[in-house]
Each structure stands twice: as C-alpha cells, then as structure tokens.
Amino acid sequence: MGGKRQFRVWRGDEQGGQLEDYQVEVNEGEVVLDVIHRLQATEAPDLACRWNCKAGKCGSCSMEINGMPRLGCMTRMSTFEETETVTITPLRTFPIIRDLVTDVSFNYEKARETPAFAPPTDVPPGDYRMQQVDVERSQEFRKCIECFLCQNTCHVVRDHEDNKGAFSGPRYFIRATELDMHPLDTKSDRKEYAQAAQGLGYCNITKCCTEVCPEHIKITDNAIIPMKERVVDRRYDPIVRLGSKIFRRGQNDASGSGKRQDETLSTVHSHAGASHDAHAEAEAERGVNWHRQVPQPQAPATDARGRLAISEFTFDRAAAPSPFGDDVKFPLPADTLNYAHPDQQQPPARQD
C-alpha cells in the first residue's frame, strides 16, 4: 500500500480559506493523523492540527474526512481506495481558528450549565454504596471522550446557528441521563431540566450522533429516547394527569403550601446557569446545591406483572425503584466490603 496518495486539506482561518492539494507518502498501517504529521514535516510546516494521545482516547484530533466526522488517529488509510482523493476539513459546526483547529468552547459552556452530580448530604463520601446493576446502567455513557463529533454532526446546531443558545446537544443529553440513572444523585428534576433548559425537545432522533460516535455509545437509543419518554410520561400522559388530580385534590391547600406543581417546575433554572437567582448562580458555580432536600426512594412504576402501580397515579413525579431493595439498609456495613474510607476507624494496633 506504500506510495504517494492524493490529499486535499483545508487551509485558512476565520477570515476564509480554501482546499489545497498535496501528494503525501503513505505507508502500510498508517492513519490519517500520520499523514498530517508527515505533511507538517515536509510541505506544510505551518499546518495547524489539534492532537494529543494518538490512541483514540483524548478526542482532540476531531475532523471531517471525506465529509464524515471522524478521529484522525482512528481512521486508517487502508479504508480508502488507493486512487481516491482524501479530503480533510475542520469540524463544520464550530468557528474556525486556523486550518483544522476549531473553537469548541460552546461545548464547555454547556458543560458548565449542566447541573453536576449532587451527592446525598447525610452520607459521608467514603460510605457511598451502589449495586453493580446500577453501575452498569450508566457505565456506557462514561466512555465518552468528548471528541464532540456528535455535537458536530447534530443538525440542530450544525444547520441552525440560532439554536445553539437553547440546545445543549447529544453529549450533554447522555450526561443528564447518566446522572438521572445514578442512585446516589439527589437532584430529582433532571428530566424537567433537560426539557426546559437543555432543549431536549429540539432533538428529533435522527441517530446521526450515534453513527459517528467513536466509542460506539448508543446515544439515541439508550439516552435520548429514554429521557424523552420519561418527560412525556409525566407531562402528557392523560391517565397519570387525571389520576394525580383525583387522588391529590385538596392536598396542596391542606398543607398550606399554596403552590401548584407547575409553579415548582418553573424554578428548574435555579439549579444551574441562566437563572435570575444570585444564590442559585453561586451554587451552580460550585457544582453542587447542598441545600436541596434529599428525596426518598419511591415504589417502582410497574409491578412484577408489568402493570402500573397505584402509586404512579398518586405521586406527583415519576416513581423509581429503590436501587438497594427493600431489605437492604443503607449504608451497607463496612465490615462486609473490601473498600474502607480513610477516615474510617481503624482496628486497634496489635500489641506484642
């Protein structure tokens, strides 16, 4: 497979640019990033390209290769025909800095707006306990290397610049889903926040984000669609809404709160950026709202036969099963675990 191959590389900056043709030596087993490095060492020493690990784990070398968002270090030259011209361009969705380097600060701004993990306030950090099934539920989403290829290919931000302010994108939908599935996260309104502040409703599940993910995360099927279903189940299910009105009629007035559920949902912005509450903004900067009341686990939404439980009609939010079971006390006894917190009391030293 050795020999010279034809390449077209975009050169320019925010003022404009063009595709330039190069002929570069290609050896067997090389990837596109190898070719870019050889090009920098020979014909184009001023070619700008962002990269770091060259192992498909840092997400730095994101680019578009023949129009497809890919990682330069994970795209082998053997996938192209020897007579084929390989066109390399920067990510189209984000502003160009120079050549193949783009300004992806949009994604970091959205990361800051996303409410962080909110641990239980009454459990010391060393005493957090999770069952393996709960670890596995969200483990897939933690494989994300933040290459932002999913953000780049999402047409909601790619084709409509005006949507960027109100749309977080697929990368932060899987983050919201991961935290919503976390049994120790005490923030109970992540679904409502995803709908109200992250723009979940803009997504029309074309699955283009899943197609380009180098970590093969099923972004659409395992994160976005389940999150949409949870929002719709609570907001628009006529049976649930009717049952809530029948069984909970007069309870709000009797408690003296005088507030409707819709009014409480309107305060969802106070848990992250874009809020008008100075104290909430300060808490969002710290990442955790320590003043939140920890919700109690609720009964599962369906019984063993798959039927809707009566608690689903009477509770004002979607129910969820306790991740620890009804017969397990939390936290688990430390003597049955391999992990011990550094602050845990140590056994007395043996005296000779």
Side-chain angles (χ1 to χ4, degrees):
M1 181 185 148
K4 290 203 171 185
R5 301 279 294 274
Q6 189 71 28
F7 290 86
R8 301 192 74 194
V9 183
W10 196 92
R11 304 297 307 276
D13 53 25
E14 68 275 8
Q15 303 299 326
Q18 61 183 4
L19 288 168
E20 295 187 8
D21 294 323
Y22 299 95
Q23 281 201 344
V24 188
E25 187 76 23
V26 175
N27 300 320
E28 185 175 359
E30 289 188 332
V31 296
V32 170
L33 188 58
D34 291 321
V35 176
I36 292 175
H37 287 166
R38 183 169 292 116
L39 186 59
Q40 290 174 325
T42 55
E43 300 181 53
D46 60 340
L47 174 62
C49 174
R50 184 183 284 130
W51 72 282
N52 188 16
C53 74
K54 203 178 178 183
K57 292 302 177 184
C58 73
S60 299
C61 60
S62 300
M63 57 188 69
E64 295 191 10
I65 304 172
N66 285 359
M68 185 71 166
R70 299 174 183 265
L71 292 178
C73 68
M74 298 298 289
T75 306
R76 293 197 171 275
M77 289 302 303
S78 59
T79 60
F80 306 106
E81 298 291 337
E82 292 189 11
T83 57
E84 183 178 0
T85 299
V86 180
T87 302
I88 306 173
T89 56
L91 298 179
R92 193 177 307 176
T93 300
F94 307 114
I96 292 175
I97 297 177
R98 186 160 71 88
D99 298 338
L100 302 179
V101 179
T102 56
D103 180 5
V104 294
S105 59
F106 161 81
N107 301 286
Y108 298 112
E109 293 170 3
K110 294 301 178 182
R112 286 192 64 188
E113 294 175 3
T114 303
F117 171 68
T121 58
D122 57 342
V123 182
D127 292 337
Y128 296 161
R129 300 293 182 265
M130 291 174 59
Q131 288 190 355
Q132 184 61 34
V133 64
D134 295 306
V135 176
E136 293 169 353
R137 286 201 334 171
S138 59
Q139 188 65 31
E140 175 187 13
F141 308 131
R142 298 191 66 85
K143 295 193 301 180
C144 176
I145 60 175
E146 293 199 327
C147 61
F148 304 129
L149 294 181
C150 61
Q151 300 284 88
N152 174 70
T153 197
C154 179
H155 65 276
V156 179
V157 292
R158 185 184 182 100
D159 301 331
H160 306 281
E161 185 71 22
D162 294 342
N163 289 338
K164 285 188 176 181
F167 189 76
S168 294
R171 190 277 170 268
Y172 300 104
F173 292 152
I174 68 173
R175 176 63 175 162
T177 305
E178 171 200 340
L179 293 174
D180 193 46
M181 291 180 174
H182 202 298
L184 296 176
D185 183 69
T186 60
K187 184 168 172 55
S188 60
D189 57 357
R190 293 197 182 275
K191 293 179 286 294
E192 290 81 0
Y193 181 83
Q195 176 71 15
Q198 292 186 293
L200 182 64
Y202 283 99
C203 174
N204 56 9
I205 56 177
T206 58
K207 297 191 177 183
C208 51
C209 52
T210 301
E211 185 177 347
V212 300
C213 179
E215 288 293 327
H216 307 291
I217 302 172
K218 293 183 172 61
I219 301 173
T220 310
D221 292 337
N222 292 353
I224 296 178
I225 291 178
M227 203 62 145
K228 279 177 169 283
E229 289 175 344
R230 291 169 191 161
V231 172
V232 171
D233 283 348
R234 176 48 48 197
R235 287 199 170 201
Y236 303 110
D237 191 325
I239 299 179
V240 173
R241 289 171 65 90
L242 178 60
S244 178
K245 290 181 179 180
I246 293 175
F247 287 99
R248 298 183 64 83
R249 180 179 298 168
Q251 290 188 18
N252 287 340
D253 295 336
S255 64
S257 63
K259 292 184 178 180
R260 297 173 52 199
Q261 179 185 355
D262 293 340
E263 294 173 355
T264 61
L265 290 180
S266 66
T267 63
V268 68
H269 288 276
S270 65
H271 302 298
S275 137
H276 299 288
D277 187 335
H279 178 70
E281 288 287 353
E283 291 294 332
E285 289 292 330
R286 295 171 53 192
V288 177
N289 189 343
W290 297 103
H291 304 290
R292 284 187 57 81
Q293 183 178 1
V294 180
Q296 296 299 318
Q298 302 299 321
T302 57
D303 58 19
R305 296 174 297 174
R307 297 182 179 179
L308 192 67
I310 190 65
S311 61
E312 182 67 9
F313 290 95
T314 59
F315 194 55
D316 61 342
R317 287 189 297 273
S322 168
F324 309 102
D326 296 331
D327 57 343
V328 178
K329 293 184 178 180
F330 181 78
L332 300 177
D335 55 355
T336 63
L337 302 168
N338 295 327
Y339 173 81
H341 189 263
D343 295 337
Q344 184 175 326
Q345 183 178 0
Q346 299 295 326
R350 197 178 83 181
Q351 299 181 2
D352 297 333

